[in-house]
Amino acid sequence: MPIIKNLLELNKNWYLFLAVLWLFCITVASLVSVEIVKEVESGIEVSDKLVHGIFYFVNTVLFYCYYKKINLKRAISKVSLFSFAYGIIIELLQYVLPYERSFDLRDIIANLVGILIAIFLINFYLARRLR
């Protein structure tokens, strides 16, 4: 898969740029008023939990690619803990900010599922690469 191979060979700074940009997008999408989200809806029904999983899957992969030069287990631990904590912080902000958003434990679980799938696929990719 040449696209994935090219993405995996980007300069380390590009990963950081993409990861921070992605994190900014997650933050904006998670904290804007519900009224704005309703105006932007495309008419395509997508599960909110699927979107959470994808957000945090991509977040975990991008930050892993930035930190991948350090010890593998340490990089995965660092990135997954950061992603999980960030998801909890976003949910807490939704609870306290007056933007008609609400805390949802299922969102945190969906974030965790996305993170775990990313960890599994990173480990699978690395295991295949080492063969």
Side-chain angles (χ1 to χ4, degrees):
M1 299 172 108
I3 293 174
I4 292 175
K5 184 178 180 189
N6 290 339
L7 283 174
L8 292 173
E9 294 174 358
L10 285 175
N11 180 300
K12 181 179 177 177
N13 293 328
W14 274 107
Y15 290 122
L16 181 60
F17 172 76
L18 291 172
V20 170
L21 180 64
W22 187 257
L23 206 55
F24 176 76
C25 292
I26 289 173
T27 305
V28 170
S30 298
L31 296 180
V32 296
S33 169
V34 174
E35 294 303 316
I36 293 172
V37 174
K38 287 179 183 174
E39 290 177 19
V40 176
E41 286 180 354
S42 64
I44 299 172
E45 296 255 347
V46 178
S47 167
D48 170 60
K49 306 314 172 222
L50 177 63
V51 172
H52 277 268
I54 291 169
F55 276 175
Y56 286 86
F57 169 84
V58 172
N59 185 62
T60 303
V61 169
L62 287 173
F63 273 105
Y64 168 76
C65 288
Y66 175 71
Y67 285 109
K68 71 182 175 186
K69 297 294 183 192
I70 64 175
N71 178 295
L72 172 66
K73 286 184 182 181
R74 187 169 170 218
I76 290 175
S77 298
K78 218 179 192 182
V79 167
S80 55
L81 285 173
F82 170 78
S83 295
F84 186 65
Y86 194 81
I88 291 172
I89 290 167
I90 290 293
E91 288 301 315
L92 291 172
L93 285 173
Q94 286 180 347
Y95 178 73
V96 298
L97 292 175
Y99 297 126
E100 302 169 21
R101 305 298 291 247
S102 61
F103 178 90
D104 188 349
L105 184 59
R106 293 172 298 173
D107 288 347
I108 293 173
I109 293 168
N111 298 347
L112 181 60
V113 169
I115 292 165
L116 293 174
I117 291 170
I119 291 169
F120 173 78
L121 291 177
I122 289 167
N123 283 318
F124 179 76
Y125 171 78
L126 292 173
R128 286 194 60 194
R129 205 169 123 199
L130 293 174
R131 283 190 213 169

